[in-house]
Amino acid sequence: MKKPLVGAFLATLLVGAGVAPAFAATSQDAAPTRATSTAKASTGAKAKAVDFAGTVALSNCSGSVVRTAASQPNDPALVMSNGHCLETGFPAAGQVIVNRASSRTFSLLNGAAQKVGTLKASKIAYGTMTDTDVSLYQLTSTYAQIQSQYGIKALELSAARPAQGSAITVVSGYWKKTYSCNVDGFAYRLKEGAWTWKDSVRYTSACQTIGGTSGSPVLDTNTGKVVAVNNTGNEDGARCTDNNPCEVDEAGKVTVRKGINYGQQTYNMVPCITTGSKIDLTRPGCALPKP
């Protein structure tokens, strides 16, 4: 996969021209300085404005400060991105990382996509590329401290599965861009090289996400809640290869959709997040894979 994250890998990433499934970028210096929008929402007046408050820029990806409805102000804050954005490199198929020390930093953005501060991780609370493609970093700051110091509230993870046809917005803190479209449907299995993801969200063609948008929160445009994490797309029409995921249905039929992009649903990990922002993979309803 052309998804370099650390060290010499960074030199090989293709950014912008294609939609490499890592959607990672090589240098944050390349990111634009003004917030822009690359597509218009395809729904009407009900769609509410979505801004950048609570999103973050990683060194090579996008992310967001997230919470559940049950999170408390004094809980350590969580940052969500992709498993393939981990500074430790891509987790192998079947690998699950939990509670690994990390001192990674994140640039916190306000609604106008301006950097207002730097957040620091204490650990990788969870990370995997199996069944889904997600990382959750626990921070050294609490939700209350972030709100008090920067005036930024965390984005709420929706506990509900997104509906087909619903309006969504992918918000990239790395590129300071938004991509608005709709949920086109769901891929029973999305296979890319060595990795397979379950029940992935397929976007309509208006969301032409690019390198660097990996890990962006996918918001329900009407509620403002996070329903998925952006992660991949078919770059040139190849079948099930790195950079070219394919859809596999329950009967094993393979479908290739060139130029179409995808995210991984997040409602099924909400039950895994418990008191103190701890990840408890044994809780009822928690669908994240275990180590």
Side-chain angles (χ1 to χ4, degrees):
M1 282 187 178
K2 293 187 176 71
K3 303 194 219 178
L5 299 175
V6 294
F9 285 151
L10 289 172
T12 64
L13 183 65
L14 298 179
V15 180
V19 284
F23 291 157
T26 57
S27 170
Q28 203 163 335
D29 293 337
T33 57
R34 295 196 307 165
T36 58
S37 176
T38 59
K40 294 182 179 179
S42 53
T43 58
K46 288 186 178 180
K48 62 194 255 184
V50 171
D51 63 24
F52 295 84
T55 62
V56 300
L58 286 68
S59 57
N60 59 345
C61 286
S62 299
S64 57
V65 182
V66 296
R67 65 176 180 86
T68 69
S71 295
Q72 298 301 304
N74 290 325
D75 288 343
L78 295 173
V79 161
M80 181 181 70
S81 189
N82 283 148
H84 74 248
C85 293
L86 289 168
E87 70 270 32
T88 52
F90 308 140
Q95 182 182 10
V96 175
I97 297 166
V98 293
N99 297 326
R100 179 179 294 181
S102 173
S103 58
R104 194 167 194 180
T105 58
F106 312 89
S107 297
L108 177 66
L109 305 184
N110 64 14
Q114 298 167 329
K115 179 181 176 180
V116 294
T118 299
L119 305 177
K120 186 176 181 180
S122 62
K123 66 180 179 180
I124 301 167
Y126 187 87
T128 193
M129 288 178 67
T130 298
D131 295 352
T132 186
D133 184 6
V134 71
S135 59
L136 289 168
Y137 288 86
Q138 189 175 110
L139 302 185
T140 58
S141 304
T142 66
Y143 293 113
Q145 287 170 332
I146 293 171
Q147 186 170 351
S148 174
Q149 186 170 0
Y150 305 113
I152 301 296
K153 294 182 179 180
L155 299 175
E156 184 178 336
L157 294 168
S158 174
R161 189 177 191 271
Q164 186 171 359
S166 58
I168 54 174
T169 304
V170 182
V171 187
S172 172
Y174 183 96
W175 287 114
K176 301 178 175 64
K177 290 183 179 180
T178 62
Y179 303 80
S180 296
C181 59
N182 293 75
V183 174
D184 185 55
F186 304 91
Y188 174 72
R189 297 290 183 267
L190 192 66
K191 181 173 175 56
E192 180 178 346
W195 291 271
T196 300
W197 302 306
K198 296 180 178 179
D199 201 20
S200 304
V201 177
R202 180 176 63 247
Y203 311 150
T204 53
S205 59
C207 279
Q208 288 296 304
T209 45
I210 61 172
T213 64
S214 277
S216 298
V218 181
L219 305 183
D220 181 299
T221 308
N222 291 314
T223 66
K225 294 182 180 181
V226 180
V227 295
V229 57
N230 181 62
N231 83 307
T232 196
N234 188 290
E235 181 178 338
D236 58 22
R239 177 185 169 107
C240 313
T241 63
D242 293 349
N243 308 316
N244 294 287
C246 64
E247 297 183 22
V248 183
D249 70 13
E250 295 179 75
K253 179 184 176 182
V254 174
T255 302
V256 174
R257 302 178 191 271
K258 181 180 178 180
I260 293 299
N261 301 302
Y262 301 86
Q264 302 307 311
Q265 298 192 62
T266 52
Y267 79 96
N268 51 12
M269 71 181 189
V270 170
C272 312
I273 302 172
T274 185
T275 305
S277 299
K278 294 179 181 178
I279 309 301
D280 183 353
L281 302 176
T282 67
R283 294 189 79 200
C286 177
L288 290 175
K290 301 175 178 62

